Amino acid sequence: MALKMVKGSIDRMFDKNLQDLVRGIRNHKEDEAKYISQCIDEIKQELKQDNIAVKANAVCKLTYLQMLGYDISWAAFNIIEVMSASKFTFKRIGYLAASQCFHEGTDVIMLTTNQIRKDLSSPNQYDTGVALTGLSCFVTPDLARDLANDIMTLMSHTKPYIRKKAVLIMYKVFLKYPESLRPAFPRLKEKLEDPDPGVQSAAVNVICELARRNPKNYLSLAPLFFKLMTSSTNNWVLIKIIKLFGALTPLEPRLGKKLIEPLTNLIHSTSAMSLLYECVNTVIAVLISLSSGMPNHSASIQLCVQKLRILIEDSDQNLKYLGLLAMSKILKTHPKSVQSHKDLILQCLDDKDESIRLRALDLLYGMVSKKNLMEIVKKLMIHVDKAEGTTYRDELLTKIIDICSQSNYQYITNFEWYISILVELTRLEGTRHGHLIAAQMLDVAIRVKAIRKFAVSQMAMLLDNAHLIASNTQRNGICEVLYAAAWICGEFSEHLEEANQTLEAMLRPKVTTLPGHIQAVYVQNMVKLYASILQQKEQAGEKEAAQEITQLMIERLPQFVQSADLEVQERASCILQLIKYIQKLQVKEVPVAEEVIALFAGELNPVAPKAQKKVPVPEGLDLDAWINEPPSDSESEDEKPKTIFHDEEQRHSKPRHPEMDEEELARRREARKQEQANNPFYIKSSPSPQKRYQDTPGVEHIPVVQIDLSVPLKVPGMPMSDQYVKLEEERRHKQKLEKDKKKKKQKKEKRGKHHRHNSLHTESEEDIAPAHHVDIITEEMPENALPSDEDDKDPNDPYKALDIDLDKPLADSEKLPVQRHRNAEALKTPESEVPPVEKKSKKPKKKEKKHKEKEKDKGKKKEKEKKHKKEKEEKSKDKKKSKKKHHHSEEEMAESVQNGTLDDEPLPPMSSYRLLAENPYIKTTYDIQGNLQNDSQVTVSVIFENKSTSFLKSMELNVLDSLNTKMLRPEGSSVHDGIPVPFQLPPGISNEAQFVFTLQSIVMAQKLKGTLSFIVKNDEGSTHEKLDFKLHFSCASYLITTPCYR
Amino acid sequence: MQFMLLFSRQGKLRLQKWYVPLSDKEKKKITRELVQTVLARKPKMCSFLEWRDLKIVYKRYASLYFCCAIEDQDNELITLEIIHRYVELLDKYFGSVCELDIIFNFEKAYFILDEFLLGGEVQETSKKNVLKAIEQADLLQESQMSSSKSGIEYPSSCRTRAALKVIPPTLLHWAMMSEADGDMAIEVEPSHQYSITFYCRITDGNRRAV
């Protein structure tokens, strides 16, 4: 052996250690992969050796390689070997490796259960510590279930070092095994008042994390936390507690009122920015939850805003960022108080840090009013021009649209201005948000009737200048606006002045380079246009002109018939035939315009985005039922109905990366829209902005002038939005003057005052009348639509499982599983068997006195209870007959709850426990388990349950040994001596003791007779009682149970 | 906290600690993505960014980036403090720590982290206690190993060490509380105050600023 050791250490000298490996990798920069594969081969050799030091070294190296990105899952078993090393040095490395590379999918992880349990109960606190740390990284539901009880025991460990770790890891256990929360919670709560500040802070951490997810279950803890908050000086703890209150207050507004004062005090006094920030955040949350009725409500908001202003003005970028972030939270409920800091926020738009600019943009959303919208947007437009990098510019673009379109275009007074802003935005090269602009154009044109004439003229201009927009169609998202332009021109063609010219523009050969879905819209809408021109000409009696236009269509349409895009081709050929037919009729001088225009008759009304969802399902209609048998093949790719709903949902959820590539998505959407547009029975939904973020593919900046140098950058005839700003000002000024006049007439005496008032430029929002009479059509909703939205909660939320009511008493079935047979190692000798049991019995002992007092006080009450209990017992007995498995009836649990013994070691949950014997005083059940360590021993666990109202003590268990089976007795005692049960039983309490038996043969079933003797002590005195029983050893009971893992 | 990553300016991962179970593939993907994003940021930018549904808090110490992912409601400043605290711990343990210390003793760096954080939560707010625990565990290790390894000789090729400059809390502009009996001071230092100095360390331990 010694030789082997020496040999091992000599071997080691020639092995690479970690430092050599790192050095080697650094020296082989060119052929790193080759070097590492060589090293891995060496490591594999090392792992085959017996020497644990060599193995540990190898595992250590593997951990390093894992970090470099190499797969080491093949070594999982070796890692477990190193974990189970007896020396701390190796164990530490083993656990480190495990924590780095084990995850739920690691199959060998189930082999670690016993090892971890052993380490958890190790006398060396660092062994325990390292096991807990490791476990926190790779705990699985199985491990959590099997070890929950062990960890819970550690929460009461003597050393704070262990307690602290055990408390923290409980959170991970709860997440994996939610059933453990209720049994463990009382102890966790105890730890809030642990003498060690570290443990206390750990408990605060865990409860705060739990409460954040499911606050309503933790409301009852609020007073305790309030006390902690006012007494604690530890900022780490304070932050957590304050965060917790932030989660609780929405549920309990009264709490909020109480909180405001200490929180504002903290805000005033603390110098720690993190604490200040947390306080401000929570105060905001509190104020949001308090709708009204707070006296110094505005004072605290003002304080928050002031403090945030200080943060934003700080030169530190981090604080600036956070200040803006918190400000945006205030904005939602108290826009007024934020609006006064508009200057500061606009200033942040010029910050050199992009993330700060983005935050400031978020805030702008809430700062706009009817009065300043144009001004703010103008500023943003300047930024758009200046912005480098497409990401930021795209963000600006979406923000402009968001700001303008918010709450149903509430702040827009002049839609002509808005349309021109949109048209100006189309000049952005390389933006990906063409569809967004298009959607806005469509929405405004459809919903604001008054603007249609203007919109159509602008769109016609866009179509005319399509070559500028669509210079690079394939990569340019902006050409999407042509889709909107074509549709608007077609649909509202009656407003077109130069319809012929627009039709020509749409028929240009260049159009065929546009994406298919846009061409399809072109084709469809040129027919609308054609129809209206035809009607116009016919009414005017210009037959030749009408025939000319038909001829033009027939000449130009074939270019679309040849399109590679199916949609375009199909529509074009269909329409071509139609027009040829019209031509025939025209030649015969038949008036056709009426019939052609009838193709597109009727008006489109906007429909609310959620309207479809809200149509109530008629009674008796089962939407999930199959109409036909489901098709067996999976080929059906008809995803259209799906995508419709998918789209609708996305609008309200956070922006996420589209799963399909953009083109595909766009094509589908367009196809759908097209389909809807064609369907005369379909009421067109109003497109609403849809945010989408994409990874930017680097800077794709394509200069505008690239195509045609003679074309000026400013598209001729395109209005500049700026001019509207001036116009608007003038208009307002006029309005004001008019009003002034009126007022002057009305109140001549107060003229002076009014004049000053007006010159101060303090007209209220309502004073600004919109330029045109704008009637925004509200979106239609189906009749008897469902009033409320269902919450779209994520069913996969991992924290949902922890939504557990903690105030309910613990039911029997919820007890943590205790796997006794694994403890068997501790039972090798009867002496060692006793300690764990004794620990358990301590608590009941402590409670003895209390119980006695209680009994005296409430003697009469108890009697009543007793009667009641007996009734229940009878019932439960009946149950037992039918279901032998449940020996711990619920009534028993309820009793123990009354006695406050919740924290006692939980009993095994379900059981293989069988009835041993029973009398009015006591009931005993037992279970037999094989011993893992010793083949010739079995452990009998007996649960003693005191059914009486008396105190049971001096219990002694004795068995008549047979030849085959003998009870293991302490050395020196004779075979006739009984073994004392190491605890006493107060009324209603049950506890468990274990006895070890040795046996010769496992193929013989045995029945051992035995007696339990005990003393019953009550108010009348004490009596000696006996209970005979038969202990039945079946052959099966010698089997060792092993947990099964899937 | 969901995870912590340490990587160099060159984008090499130096340390990773995951507090949420993820498959290796996902981890690699996240790491790659984050390293790229963080390295692309300019030095004057703030230390926070939104990434997927998480918040990323990072900080640069000399050539090393410390990067943490926290959840939506978590406090960014306290995360910065955690990072700083960890760097201080490394600094105390190694004695003016540098990237090489972490490369060559990566397991030690993990052990320190494990004593400081557990399951993504701060476990011990007192620096003294963390170091004590580590020292005692090390002692246990030393006594078990017959041949104790004293200080590691770095290979000659990498003798120059660029120390991570750690500012003592007293120099910070809002050093918060005194570290009374191991209790929790919170310091958040503004990044602009954070001058990064490089030191060259010659083997004899003399330092000169570059």
Side-chain angles (χ1 to χ4, degrees), chain A residues 104 116 120 131-132 135-152 154-155 165-184 188 206 210 798 801-802 804 816-817, chain B residues 19 118-119:
Chain A
E104 270 180 46
I116 295 173
L120 288 182
L132 284 172
L135 191 60
S136 73
C137 291
F138 58 77
V139 60
T140 62
D142 285 339
L143 280 177
R145 190 195 56 228
D146 294 343
L147 296 172
N149 196 49
D150 302 69
I151 299 171
M152 210 169 101
L154 288 180
M155 279 164 69
K165 280 178 190 268
V167 168
L168 276 177
I169 202 181
M170 268 329 261
Y171 179 59
K172 295 276 160 183
V173 173
F174 295 152
L175 282 181
K176 296 287 173 191
Y177 180 57
E179 288 87 337
S180 61
L181 178 57
R182 274 168 46 74
L188 186 60
V206 172
L210 287 170
L802 282 180
I804 295 168
L816 287 179
Chain B
Y19 297 112
L118 193 136

Side-chain angles (χ1 to χ4, degrees), chain A residues 114 819-830 832-833 927-941 968 994-999 1002 1033 1035-1042:
Chain A
N114 273 329
Q819 296 191 337
R820 296 284 172 195
H821 59 278
R822 302 241 172 115
N823 291 347
E825 199 191 6
L827 301 174
K828 273 176 188 163
T829 62
S832 64
E833 161 206 338
D927 182 37
I928 305 170
Q929 292 125 358
N931 191 325
L932 278 173
Q933 264 67 33
N934 195 333
D935 295 342
S936 62
Q937 287 184 356
V938 290
T939 309
V940 178
S941 314
L968 208 61
Q994 289 172 323
F995 306 90
V996 180
F997 289 77
T998 55
L999 32 105
I1002 59 160
F1033 290 87
C1035 290
S1037 63
Y1038 303 139
L1039 294 175
I1040 292 171
T1041 47
T1042 342

Side-chain angles (χ1 to χ4, degrees), chain A residues 521-649:
Chain A
V521 175
Y522 263 67
V523 172
Q524 190 70 23
N525 284 286
M526 63 180 72
V527 190
K528 293 183 194 166
L529 212 53
Y530 166 76
S532 76
I533 297 173
L534 204 63
Q535 195 188 28
Q536 216 181 321
K537 302 283 179 199
E538 254 182 35
Q539 277 169 357
E542 301 170 33
K543 278 176 193 164
E544 271 177 31
Q547 280 178 4
E548 255 171 49
I549 201 92
T550 313
Q551 190 56 36
L552 179 77
M553 290 290 277
I554 291 174
E555 275 168 25
R556 297 283 183 84
L557 269 175
Q559 61 183 336
F560 296 107
V561 176
Q562 290 156 8
S563 171
D565 192 284
L566 202 65
E567 188 72 28
V568 180
Q569 193 194 18
E570 201 178 354
R571 287 180 192 209
S573 45
C574 191
I575 285 161
L576 184 60
Q577 285 312 312
L578 177 75
I579 292 181
K580 277 181 181 168
Y581 180 68
I582 293 172
Q583 195 182 30
K584 271 187 205 165
L585 292 175
Q586 274 181 329
V587 173
K588 288 181 199 163
E589 305 219 334
V590 182
V592 283
E594 281 301 312
E595 279 165 62
V596 178
I597 207 93
L599 283 175
F600 308 105
E603 202 183 341
L604 296 180
N605 290 325
V607 174
K610 276 187 171 176
Q612 180 71 50
K613 248 190 186 172
K614 300 218 167 175
V615 179
V617 180
E619 240 175 85
L621 174 65
D622 181 9
L623 289 174
D624 295 327
W626 287 96
I627 297 171
N628 297 313
E629 279 304 297
S632 54
D633 59 334
S634 55
E635 271 176 53
S636 61
E637 281 194 349
D638 186 27
E639 283 185 340
K640 266 176 195 164
K642 238 187 200 170
T643 43
I644 289 172
F645 288 110
H646 183 64
D647 262 6
E648 311 262 316
E649 275 163 7

Side-chain angles (χ1 to χ4, degrees), chain A residues 229 232-242 266 275:
Chain A
M229 183 177 80
S232 178
T233 51
N234 182 338
N235 282 357
W236 299 85
V237 172
L238 270 177
I239 287 177
K240 280 280 173 186
I241 296 177
I242 290 168
L266 269 176
L275 184 58

Side-chain angles (χ1 to χ4, degrees), chain A residues 302-458:
Chain A
Q302 228 35 59
L303 176 68
C304 286
V305 175
Q306 266 169 27
K307 286 283 174 182
L308 289 179
R309 190 179 170 105
I310 294 171
L311 288 192
I312 297 172
E313 279 171 341
D314 199 284
S315 54
D316 183 33
Q317 299 290 68
N318 292 338
L319 297 183
K320 207 186 269 276
Y321 177 91
L322 293 178
L324 289 169
L325 198 65
M327 205 68 123
S328 64
K329 284 179 196 156
I330 299 185
L331 185 70
K332 279 173 203 144
T333 48
H334 300 82
K336 286 254 166 66
S337 35
V338 182
Q339 269 159 10
S340 53
H341 299 282
K342 203 179 84 190
D343 56 318
L344 187 66
I345 285 146
L346 285 175
Q347 202 180 310
C348 287
L349 276 183
D350 298 320
D351 199 280
K352 52 193 176 299
D353 186 348
E354 193 179 292
S355 18
I356 286 174
R357 290 199 303 256
L358 289 175
R359 284 278 85 86
L361 270 182
D362 284 346
L363 274 170
L364 270 188
Y365 183 83
M367 318 229 87
V368 289
S369 61
K370 279 185 177 164
K371 211 167 72 187
N372 64 14
L373 176 71
M374 284 184 167
E375 180 197 336
I376 287 181
V377 171
K378 186 182 164 190
K379 206 167 156 97
L380 289 180
M381 291 300 279
I382 296 170
H383 276 280
V384 171
D385 286 340
K386 278 197 296 188
E388 316 140 5
T390 36
T391 332
Y392 179 57
R393 211 172 40 178
D394 280 0
E395 190 61 30
L396 273 169
L397 191 153
T398 45
K399 273 283 138 47
I400 291 177
I401 289 180
D402 274 357
I403 287 173
C404 292
S405 64
Q406 67 174 308
S407 41
N408 219 359
Y409 307 102
Q410 190 193 342
Y411 300 113
I412 297 184
T413 49
N414 186 339
F415 275 92
E416 281 189 20
W417 165 81
Y418 186 44
I419 293 272
S420 15
I421 286 284
L422 289 175
V423 171
E424 261 177 62
L425 284 174
T426 62
R427 277 184 253 146
L428 276 185
E429 282 287 331
T431 179
R432 290 177 163 271
H433 293 301
H435 61 95
L436 209 59
I437 304 175
Q440 284 292 298
M441 287 173 167
L442 286 170
D443 198 32
V444 172
I446 293 170
R447 291 177 55 193
V448 188
K449 276 187 178 162
I451 203 68
R452 282 183 194 163
K453 195 170 165 56
F454 179 78
V456 165
S457 70
Q458 291 299 306

Side-chain angles (χ1 to χ4, degrees), chain A residues 19 67 69 88 92 100 124 126 161 164 172 212-213 234-236 243 278 316 318 353 355, chain B residues 16 19 28 41 46-47 71 73-75 104 110 115 124 136 138 141 144 177 184 186 191:
Chain A
Q19 274 73 35
M67 189 169 66
F88 177 70
R92 205 181 189 189
Q100 289 305 101
N124 180 349
Y126 292 104
Y161 178 79
K164 171 179 83 184
K172 295 276 160 183
R212 260 165 64 181
R213 319 291 178 187
N234 182 338
N235 282 357
W236 299 85
K243 198 182 282 299
E278 197 62 56
D316 183 33
N318 292 338
D353 186 348
S355 18
Chain B
Q16 54 171 351
Y19 297 112
K28 266 186 215 169
R41 286 175 69 87
C46 68
S47 304
E71 277 159 61
Q73 297 154 316
D74 288 330
N75 189 321
F104 282 97
Y110 276 122
E115 286 300 327
E124 182 54 71
Q136 277 173 0
D138 278 351
Q141 175 168 343
Q144 281 179 2
M177 259 145 262
M184 45 311 301
I186 292 200
S191 53

Side-chain angles (χ1 to χ4, degrees), chain A residues 443 446-447 604-608 683-686 777-781:
Chain A
D443 198 32
I446 293 170
R447 291 177 55 193
L604 296 180
N605 290 325
V607 174
I683 305 170
K684 184 97 178 73
S685 95
S686 65
I777 304 169
T778 47
E779 294 152 321
E780 283 184 359
M781 284 294 250

Side-chain angles (χ1 to χ4, degrees), chain B residues 124-138:
Chain B
E124 182 54 71
T125 48
S126 142
K127 273 181 271 187
K128 230 188 331 183
N129 285 356
V130 175
L131 288 172
K132 209 172 80 190
I134 282 290
E135 270 157 26
Q136 277 173 0
D138 278 351

